[in-house]
């Protein structure tokens, strides 16, 4: 089924939770991303989309072709089941220079403080463990991002160290799902 979907350019559905569907991103998601990222609080602790919509679309095409197709994982789109609306992104990435997969997440402001991020991140971590055979995850939380740090702690991550990347300080947090 995955080979057929990849061959026909259709997104894989990675997980389903009580209220959400997590699937690979498609170009049709880009306008929803811009709506979500329009709130300044979204990019306070993470990078923004490209200013030029066409550049973002080109980036997403490359991401689908090179990341999803090669690794079989990445940052995915989160849809609210009931409405079918794009409400955020979540997924697993492998940062250059690290061997530990990294959890990433972003839920639009209208859906924050309702448990969506926790629900989605639990499903992403379960997918990483069960389907990708990952048993250790990291999260890099920008210093001062209390909401994300608290969510990571609730998920089972523990603080390991502060790290600096490109002039920004992050709290590096780790979580092991099984003993290696």
């Amino acid at each position: 089924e995955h080979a057929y979907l990849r061959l026909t350019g259709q997104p894989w559905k990675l997980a389903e939770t009580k209220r959400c569907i997590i699937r690979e991103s498609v170009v049709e998601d880009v306008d929803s991303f811009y709506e979500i990222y329009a709130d300044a609080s979204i990019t306070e602790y993470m990078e923004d989309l490209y200013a030029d919509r066409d550049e973002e679309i080109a980036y997403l095409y490359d991401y689908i072709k090179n990341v999803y197709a090669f690794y079989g994982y990445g940052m995915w789109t989160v849809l609210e089941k009931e409405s079918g609306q794009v409400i955020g992104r979540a997924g697993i990435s492998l940062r250059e220079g690290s061997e530990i997969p990294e959890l990433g997440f972003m839920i639009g402001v209208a859906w924050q403080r309702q448990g969506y991020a926790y629900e989605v991140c639990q499903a992403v971590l379960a997918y990483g463990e069960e389907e990708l055979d990952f048993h250790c995850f990291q999260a890099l939380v920008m210093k001062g991002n209390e909401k994300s740090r608290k969510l990571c702690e609730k998920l089972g991550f523990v603080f390991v160290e502060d790290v600096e990347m490109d002039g920004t300080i992050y709290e590096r947090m780790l979580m092991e799902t099984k003993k290696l």
Side-chain angles (χ1 to χ4, degrees):
E1 179 184 354
H2 282 149
Y4 173 78
L5 291 173
R6 187 70 70 226
L7 185 64
T8 58
Q10 298 177 60
W12 292 4
K13 180 169 99 176
L14 289 301
E16 192 169 317
T17 70
K18 181 179 170 189
R19 299 179 293 168
C20 298
I21 294 170
I22 304 161
R23 64 154 167 75
E24 291 179 335
S25 297
V26 294
V27 171
E28 291 77 15
D29 298 336
V30 168
D31 289 335
S32 295
F33 293 156
Y34 275 101
E35 288 175 25
I36 292 169
Y37 281 70
D39 189 299
S41 67
I42 292 295
T43 56
E44 183 177 358
Y45 296 110
M46 61 183 287
E47 68 182 45
D48 203 347
L49 301 172
Y50 285 99
D52 181 334
R53 184 179 178 279
D54 291 337
E55 280 185 81
E56 188 66 34
I57 288 172
Y59 172 81
L60 185 54
Y61 271 127
D62 286 345
Y63 195 86
I64 292 165
K65 180 181 168 190
N66 298 315
V67 176
Y68 291 159
F70 185 77
Y71 293 104
Y73 60 89
M75 287 302 292
W76 302 308
T77 296
V78 178
L79 302 158
E80 184 181 49
K81 254 193 225 180
E82 189 176 307
S83 67
Q85 188 169 4
V86 173
I87 67 167
R89 299 167 115 174
I92 300 168
S93 59
L94 203 54
R95 192 175 290 265
E96 192 173 325
S98 178
E99 295 180 14
I100 301 174
E102 182 178 337
L103 173 69
F105 54 89
M106 180 280 301
I107 299 294
V109 173
W111 300 275
Q112 290 179 8
R113 304 185 68 78
Q114 299 174 50
Y116 282 106
Y118 181 71
E119 182 179 319
V120 165
C121 287
Q122 281 186 307
V124 167
L125 292 167
Y127 182 86
E129 180 179 17
E130 295 161 14
E131 300 297 325
L132 302 172
D133 205 31
F134 294 145
H135 301 292
C136 185
F137 298 89
Q138 72 176 344
L140 295 173
V141 179
M142 193 180 290
K143 207 73 160 162
N145 187 347
E146 294 301 310
K147 289 179 188 175
S148 291
R149 185 183 52 74
K150 287 180 181 180
L151 173 61
C152 287
E153 288 172 348
K154 186 176 179 181
L155 289 164
F157 284 83
V158 294
F159 173 80
V160 176
E161 63 186 338
D162 285 336
V163 294
E164 189 224 331
M165 287 186 260
D166 300 323
T168 302
I169 304 292
Y170 295 90
E171 295 181 46
R172 184 168 176 260
M173 303 178 81
L174 290 179
M175 183 186 85
E176 286 188 39
T177 58
K178 288 182 184 174
K179 293 297 177 204
L180 302 176

